[in-house]
Amino acid sequence: MNWFINGGILETKAGMLGDGGKMWLKCLEKVSGNSCKIHHLYYQYIGSMRIRKTWWRKLLVAWIVGWIAVSVWIFWYMSSQAFEKRKETLASMCDERARMLQDQFNVSMNHVQAMSILISTFHHGKNPSAIDQRTFARYTERTAFERPLTSGVAYAVRVLHSEREQFENQQGWTIKRMDTFEQSPVQKDDSVAEALEPSPIQEEYAPVIFAQDTVAHVVSLDMLSGTEDRQNVLRARESGKGVLTAPFRLLKTNRLGVILTFAVYKTDLPSNAMPSERIQATDGYIGGIFDIESLVEKLLQQLASKQTILVNVYDITNQSHPISMYGSNVSDDGLEHVSALNFGDPFRKHEMRCRFKQKPPWPWLAITTSIGILVIVLLIGYIFHATINRIAKVEDDCHKMEELKKRAEAADVAKSQFLATVSHEIRTPMNGVLGMLQMLMDTELDATQQDYVRTAQDSGKALVSLINEVLDQAKIESGKIELEAMQFDLRAIMDEVLALFSGKAHEKGVELAVYVSDGVPEMVIGDPGRFRQIITNLMGNSIKFTKKGHIFLTVHLVEEVMDSIDVETESSSRNTLSGLPVADGSRSWVGFKIFNPEGSSHTPSPSSSDLVNLIVSVEDTGEGIPLEAQPRVFTPFMQVDPSISRKYGGTGIGLSISKCLVGLMNGEIGFVSIPDIGSTFTFTAVFSNGCCNSNDSKPQKQRLKNQSNTMASRFQGMTALVVDPKPVRAKVARYQIQRLGIHVELVLDLNQGLSSISNENKAVNMVFVEQEVWDRDSSISALFICKLQKIDSGTKLFLLGNSLSSSRTNTATSGFYTPSVITKPLKASMLSASLQRAMGGNKGNPCNGEHPSLSLRNLLAGRKILIVDDNKVNLIVAAAALKKYGADVVCADSGQKAIKFCLSHLTNLMHASWISKCLKWMGLKLQG
């Protein structure tokens, strides 16, 4: 169930729903907080009990109903917000239009008021008057642009009844009644006004004497004879302000309009005069006619959004019966906004009402949002329901998995026990088979029989190797593999690996070489068997897939590589062992942690003087690894192609085992491979410095040191000359020769070699010439031999060749002197034997590697040896092997018999480990 809590269910669900499912699961985590909380609550309150489906259904229904209510509320809220925004927009537009209308009306009103002052000054203030009808008409026409909202201006003078007759005689017309003119307001021409009735007798009159041409028909009309006009005139002269009439149909145009009236006072009227004083000082009345419909139309034309809303202007002086001054009441939208209008007359009230022309659009944002939330909620409910059902299913599966886990663990234990038992039981008889085959090889056999026996031996060794690999893999999987800690000679391990693969290298014509840096200690402490196993696996793969060129094994200190990146392998074909291009080895360890700034934390913490951090590279010029197969190189039982196992053999677990062993040695492994060029595998390993630890394994250390000193004592102080144009190959030769205590000098060709030998200050004891240089020019080779014979300094000549037969053939044709041939790969023991043989040394010395059987015979001859083993086959093999070298062997198949025999006989008892080493020297291994 922990798997479910840690997200297994979410991963499974995402897999069922695909990419969309993953997106909705993220939404679930955001909306619900975290899906893991559901799992936590599940275990906290419910535990492992099954949930009744009806309870979950009720909870799911409540969840859906609640979120439906939330969706409805969200729809209502967003719709109301849209309505308020629409309402604010309408209010803003309506207020803007009302403000513009009011501002333009004030401009016209101020101009009309200014004309009242003008008339008071130039008409009543001068005698005679400076203004007549013609002057007034021209002035008002030219200044009409300053009054954009007025359709006409007229001036009515105040005439008392006593002055009427004189006034009428002076003007040449009689004062007409206004009320009879209002009964037929639409006039076709101005001459009709002459037929109107004279104004009735009253205290005073207000006949129009000056008028703009647009309203010239009102001249001679008495403004005080009209009911509405009389009230406005009286209010205007009492208040001193402009007053407005109620909306009425204008004469001639029949359009709704209003008249703005100002009183014209005498010039000496003070500003703070009383109403009675104003009445007495009144000289006349000036009025401006406003066409409201034209006024509003001009205003809307100035706005780009005039088509958006409908505008209505009302006179609301009578609140119960408002008078429409402009606009239509037809509208598709019930939303309305009212903006107040102030035209300067406190008695008259006006307002502007605005509406949108079209109905409001559908609130799609609110609709989609609420529906989207509802869909998400339904999906969450579905996921929640599916999750709960999955919980129950996973709980059942978990119990089944626990049972299967127990069975698998039991099967794994049984497998490990089976592998351990069967591998031991298989290896014991196989060692008996190999031992008997070796004994059979010592008998007289013809060529065909010997071939059969060798084939059987090879097959048996391959089977034992396969069993060992499978057993190692089983140990790795169970985590039971452990490393030993013992002192060993690393260079000796390299020689053993060379000896192991030299035969196959000769068969394929591949050059094989080893180089160990001088900085690597002679003795290190670690597991030599596992270290040899890693190198053997890498070298085995290189031998298997390399058909030409070389295989080069190098060992350096990590510090040396860090100081100089280009240590050994370079991509240039001029600086490789065989001259063929190789994969750049530096790329094989580019990702190692130890080469990064934080890589030091990867290595063990003890003092650096006690640790040896090695970097080992195996470079080849083989087939390379295809790019698509490189990611699975270290995968167990995986090979590049299924045909590989049929063609080359192997199980595909060698590199996997090597990677695990490298990890146990606190190292890393990597590779670089280029198809048809080759591969380079590199790994690091951490060992303890065996030279610093003088208390551990002193006998073994002293024995190995004595062997090395014995091998090098004969050649100490000698000088050798190596002739090789390839730096890498020459360095390998110098490394192996220097191990014998010989000083080595390098030259590129035979001419330089002749110069060095001819130098009297130098004593050259031996010359090593690369076979490639020797065969290049036979004349120079013959000249070189003649020069050596003339000097007669005892200098020995050796050829370094990959094939002994070809070297002998080529050297035999060079003349009367045939130099000694040393076959590669070079090893210190082989060089020592060859040099001793050429210089007349002891050929029976076991150090030369030529006759180890003579040394064993001298050691074992006449010795009485007791062999104890409970395996009859092992007893026979061991006894036969020891008797072969002259030992007197007694066998015992139990410990009790061995003790009895020891007590009753004087026996040269030999330590079991020493016997095992002797048998291993002969190619056998004692088991049991």
Side-chain angles (χ1 to χ4, degrees):
M1 208 62 182
N2 292 331
W3 169 80
F4 171 77
I5 296 174
N6 292 331
I9 288 300
L10 291 181
E11 295 176 359
T12 304
K13 198 67 185 176
M16 295 172 59
L17 298 176
D19 295 337
K22 294 180 181 178
M23 180 185 67
W24 286 114
L25 285 177
K26 291 181 180 178
C27 295
L28 170 62
E29 291 179 356
K30 292 180 180 179
V31 175
S32 302
N34 196 325
S35 61
C36 293
K37 292 182 180 179
I38 301 176
H39 309 150
H40 176 72
L41 294 174
Y42 173 81
Y43 281 101
Q44 184 176 2
Y45 297 105
I46 300 171
S48 60
M49 296 185 301
R50 289 191 173 274
I51 308 302
R52 292 185 179 181
K53 293 184 178 180
T54 55
W55 192 85
W56 284 118
R57 288 175 182 172
K58 291 180 181 179
L59 180 62
L60 184 61
V61 170
W63 166 272
I64 295 175
V65 171
W67 275 101
I68 289 176
V70 172
S71 299
V72 172
W73 178 84
I74 291 175
F75 173 77
W76 171 84
Y77 176 77
M78 295 186 69
S79 299
S80 62
Q81 290 294 316
F83 177 79
E84 290 296 328
K85 185 176 180 180
R86 182 177 173 85
K87 186 176 180 181
E88 292 176 0
T89 302
L90 178 62
S92 175
M93 297 173 67
C94 191
D95 291 342
E96 179 184 12
R97 285 157 176 76
R99 184 176 61 255
M100 292 181 65
L101 178 62
Q102 185 171 299
D103 291 343
Q104 293 188 15
F105 185 87
N106 290 336
V107 170
S108 299
M109 182 179 65
N110 292 334
H111 193 272
V112 172
Q113 186 176 11
M115 290 185 66
S116 69
I117 298 174
L118 182 67
I119 292 175
S120 174
T121 302
F122 292 97
H123 179 64
H124 297 284
K126 291 184 180 295
N127 192 12
S129 174
I131 302 175
D132 56 7
Q133 169 61 28
R134 182 171 177 274
T135 304
F136 186 85
R138 291 180 62 187
Y139 174 77
T140 54
E141 181 181 0
R142 292 182 179 181
T143 59
F145 69 93
E146 296 180 358
R147 306 181 305 279
L149 304 184
T150 59
S151 58
V153 180
Y155 175 67
V157 69
R158 181 182 183 186
V159 179
L160 298 177
H161 179 68
S162 59
E163 300 172 349
R164 176 175 180 177
E165 182 178 358
Q166 181 183 356
F167 175 80
E168 289 178 346
N169 294 330
Q170 184 180 357
Q171 296 293 331
W173 41 260
T174 59
I175 300 175
K176 303 297 188 302
R177 295 184 60 174
M178 184 69 175
D179 51 356
T180 57
F181 189 84
E182 291 175 351
Q183 295 176 0
S184 56
V186 180
Q187 305 295 331
K188 299 301 182 180
D189 50 55
D190 297 340
S191 61
V192 181
E194 299 178 357
L196 295 177
E197 298 178 1
S199 177
I201 298 173
Q202 50 191 8
E203 292 183 1
E204 61 180 271
Y205 306 92
V208 177
I209 60 174
F210 301 143
Q212 191 175 346
D213 290 341
T214 56
V215 290
H217 56 275
V218 299
V219 174
S220 75
L221 294 180
D222 182 12
M223 295 293 113
L224 292 178
S225 62
T227 304
E228 184 70 23
D229 293 323
R230 182 181 181 85
Q231 294 178 357
N232 289 342
V233 168
L234 296 178
R235 282 194 302 115
R237 71 181 184 181
E238 289 180 1
S239 63
K241 298 180 180 180
V243 296
L244 291 172
T245 63
F248 65 95
R249 295 288 175 179
L250 296 177
L251 301 177
K252 297 186 71 176
T253 61
N254 198 32
R255 297 167 66 93
L256 283 177
V258 294
I259 297 177
L260 174 65
T261 305
F262 280 97
V264 179
Y265 301 102
K266 299 182 185 306
T267 56
D268 57 352
L269 181 68
S271 59
N272 57 350
M274 300 297 292
S276 58
E277 294 176 348
R278 292 180 182 277
I279 294 173
Q280 293 298 327
T282 301
D283 286 334
Y285 314 94
I286 188 169
I289 303 171
F290 290 85
D291 188 344
I292 299 298
E293 294 184 4
S294 300
L295 173 67
V296 179
E297 286 292 340
K298 291 179 181 179
L299 172 67
L300 295 180
Q301 288 177 0
Q302 298 177 12
L303 300 174
S305 57
K306 68 173 185 176
Q307 302 296 334
T308 305
I309 63 175
L310 296 175
V311 176
N312 294 315
V313 180
Y314 288 91
D315 185 331
I316 57 171
T317 304
N318 186 357
Q319 294 285 348
S320 59
H321 296 86
I323 302 173
S324 176
M325 301 174 64
Y326 174 81
S328 173
N329 292 326
V330 180
S331 175
D332 294 334
D333 190 359
L335 183 62
E336 183 181 61
H337 179 75
V338 178
S339 297
L341 295 173
N342 183 10
F343 291 145
D345 187 354
F347 179 76
R348 287 288 174 185
K349 305 294 182 181
H350 301 85
E351 66 181 15
M352 179 182 288
R353 299 177 184 179
C354 303
R355 295 179 181 179
F356 284 108
K357 285 187 176 181
Q358 298 178 351
K359 291 183 178 180
W362 285 89
W364 291 112
L365 180 61
I367 294 173
T368 55
T369 302
S370 58
I371 292 177
I373 292 176
L374 185 60
V375 170
I376 292 175
V377 168
L378 293 175
L379 183 59
I380 291 174
Y382 169 75
I383 295 175
F384 185 77
H385 177 68
T387 302
I388 298 304
N389 291 338
R390 183 66 175 172
I391 288 175
K393 185 177 184 301
V394 168
E395 192 175 26
D396 293 338
D397 294 341
C398 183
H399 293 302
K400 296 179 181 179
M401 289 169 61
E402 288 178 355
E403 295 179 359
L404 293 175
K405 180 183 176 182
K406 293 179 181 178
R407 295 179 184 177
E409 290 175 349
D412 185 64
V413 172
K415 182 195 73 172
S416 300
Q417 294 177 351
F418 171 78
L419 287 175
T421 303
V422 170
S423 62
H424 175 75
E425 295 299 328
I426 293 178
R427 283 188 295 180
T428 299
M430 280 305 303
N431 283 317
V433 171
L434 294 176
M436 290 300 180
L437 290 174
Q438 182 63 40
M439 292 173 61
L440 182 60
M441 286 291 293
D442 294 336
T443 61
E444 295 182 0
L445 301 175
D446 57 25
T448 302
Q449 291 172 336
Q450 289 181 357
D451 184 57
Y452 291 164
V453 174
R454 290 193 189 95
T455 303
Q457 282 183 320
D458 293 341
S459 300
K461 291 178 182 179
L463 181 58
V464 172
S465 175
L466 177 61
I467 293 171
N468 291 334
E469 288 183 350
V470 173
L471 184 59
D472 287 341
Q473 184 66 26
K475 289 181 179 179
I476 290 173
E477 291 177 353
S478 60
K480 296 179 181 179
I481 191 169
E482 296 180 357
L483 298 182
E484 297 180 354
M486 57 183 299
Q487 195 175 41
F488 67 94
D489 185 356
L490 185 140
R491 290 171 175 80
I493 296 292
M494 300 296 106
D495 289 342
E496 292 176 6
V497 174
L498 274 182
L500 181 63
F501 294 103
S502 60
K504 292 183 179 179
H506 286 160
E507 292 176 3
K508 304 184 73 172
V510 176
E511 187 170 355
L512 193 63
V514 170
Y515 176 80
V516 180
S517 172
D518 295 337
V520 177
E522 293 183 4
M523 306 296 294
V524 294
I525 298 176
D527 192 331
R530 296 300 184 183
F531 184 66
R532 182 192 298 107
Q533 183 178 359
I534 297 171
I535 299 176
T536 301
N537 286 340
L538 298 180
M539 292 286 288
N541 286 338
S542 295
I543 285 287
K544 187 186 300 183
F545 297 105
T546 303
K547 297 180 181 179
K548 62 179 180 178
H550 68 270
I551 299 172
F552 190 23
L553 172 62
T554 60
V555 182
H556 291 86
L557 294 177
V558 170
E559 292 79 5
E560 296 175 342
V561 177
M562 295 177 71
D563 293 338
S564 177
I565 299 300
D566 301 326
V567 176
E568 287 299 330
T569 57
E570 296 183 7
S571 58
S572 176
S573 61
R574 295 175 298 177
N575 197 21
T576 62
L577 188 65
S578 62
L580 295 179
V582 297
D584 185 5
S586 61
R587 293 169 53 196
S588 62
W589 41 261
V590 68
F592 286 3
K593 295 180 181 178
I594 197 170
F595 293 103
N596 296 329
E598 65 276 8
S600 57
S601 61
H602 183 72
T603 58
S605 57
S607 61
S608 58
S609 60
D610 294 336
L611 296 178
V612 179
N613 205 339
L614 301 180
I615 180 168
V616 183
S617 294
V618 178
E619 171 190 289
D620 66 58
T621 57
E623 300 177 0
I625 305 173
L627 297 178
E628 64 274 7
Q630 292 183 9
R632 61 176 188 269
V633 162
F634 294 106
T635 305
F637 304 103
M638 293 295 292
Q639 292 186 333
V640 175
D641 189 85
S643 62
I644 295 296
S645 59
R646 296 193 300 269
K647 185 176 180 181
Y648 297 102
T651 58
I653 60 176
L655 289 177
S656 173
I657 295 173
S658 299
K659 184 176 182 180
C660 176
L661 295 177
V662 167
L664 293 176
M665 295 179 183
N666 295 320
E668 299 172 273
I669 188 171
F671 73 98
V672 59
S673 182
I674 303 176
D676 300 327
I677 297 295
S679 305
T680 300
F681 280 79
T682 302
F683 72 92
T684 60
V686 180
F687 297 102
S688 298
N689 194 336
C691 298
C692 297
N693 192 351
S694 59
N695 296 325
D696 297 340
S697 305
K698 282 185 177 181
Q700 181 182 4
K701 178 180 177 182
Q702 188 64 33
R703 184 175 65 254
L704 293 172
K705 184 176 181 180
N706 291 337
Q707 291 179 1
S708 177
N709 292 338
T710 302
M711 186 172 57
S713 60
R714 291 180 174 272
F715 313 105
Q716 196 71 34
M718 293 185 178
T719 302
L721 185 67
V722 175
V723 182
D724 195 337
K726 294 182 179 179
V728 176
R729 192 165 58 189
K731 182 172 64 174
V732 172
R734 180 175 61 183
Y735 156 69
Q736 296 291 356
I737 297 172
Q738 282 180 344
R739 292 177 63 187
L740 302 179
I742 302 173
H743 175 70
V744 180
E745 295 182 3
L746 303 178
V747 296
L748 298 178
D749 52 32
L750 291 175
N751 293 327
Q752 295 182 10
L754 287 174
S755 300
S756 298
I757 294 173
S758 302
N759 190 351
E760 296 180 356
N761 296 327
K762 292 183 180 179
V764 179
N765 302 100
M766 57 196 76
V767 179
F768 297 89
V769 182
E770 180 63 33
Q771 182 71 44
E772 175 186 343
V773 179
W774 187 260
D775 295 339
R776 186 178 300 167
D777 193 339
S778 59
S779 60
I780 297 178
S781 301
L783 180 62
F784 188 83
I785 293 175
C786 293
K787 189 69 174 178
L788 283 180
Q789 291 177 345
K790 288 180 181 180
I791 295 174
D792 195 16
S793 59
T795 302
K796 299 296 182 180
L797 177 62
F798 300 92
L799 297 184
L800 304 179
N802 291 325
S803 176
L804 182 61
S805 59
S806 61
S807 299
R808 287 175 177 173
T809 302
N810 294 334
T811 56
T813 62
S814 62
F816 50 86
Y817 177 75
T818 302
S820 301
V821 178
I822 300 177
T823 307
K824 298 179 183 180
L826 299 180
K827 297 191 298 291
S829 59
M830 182 187 65
L831 282 172
S832 175
S834 299
L835 294 179
Q836 289 181 27
R837 195 165 50 244
M839 295 180 178
N842 182 14
K843 297 183 180 180
N845 195 324
C847 295
N848 58 13
E850 291 282 322
H851 304 287
S853 60
L854 297 178
S855 176
L856 280 177
R857 183 173 294 278
N858 294 333
L859 181 63
L860 299 179
R863 300 284 185 175
K864 194 170 187 179
I865 300 174
L866 172 63
I867 301 176
V868 183
D869 199 318
D870 59 355
N871 188 284
K872 185 178 179 180
V873 177
N874 286 347
L875 286 176
I876 297 174
V877 173
L882 293 174
K883 288 178 181 179
K884 176 181 177 181
Y885 298 100
D888 184 8
V889 180
V890 178
C891 298
D893 58 1
S894 66
Q896 293 179 354
K897 292 182 180 180
I899 293 174
K900 289 179 180 179
F901 183 81
C902 292
L903 294 175
S904 58
H905 297 81
L906 294 176
T907 307
N908 296 318
L909 298 176
M910 301 181 68
H911 198 274
S913 62
W914 190 90
I915 296 175
S916 298
K917 292 184 181 297
C918 293
L919 294 176
K920 185 177 179 181
W921 197 358
M922 295 180 291
L924 302 176
K925 188 174 181 182
L926 186 62
Q927 298 288 337

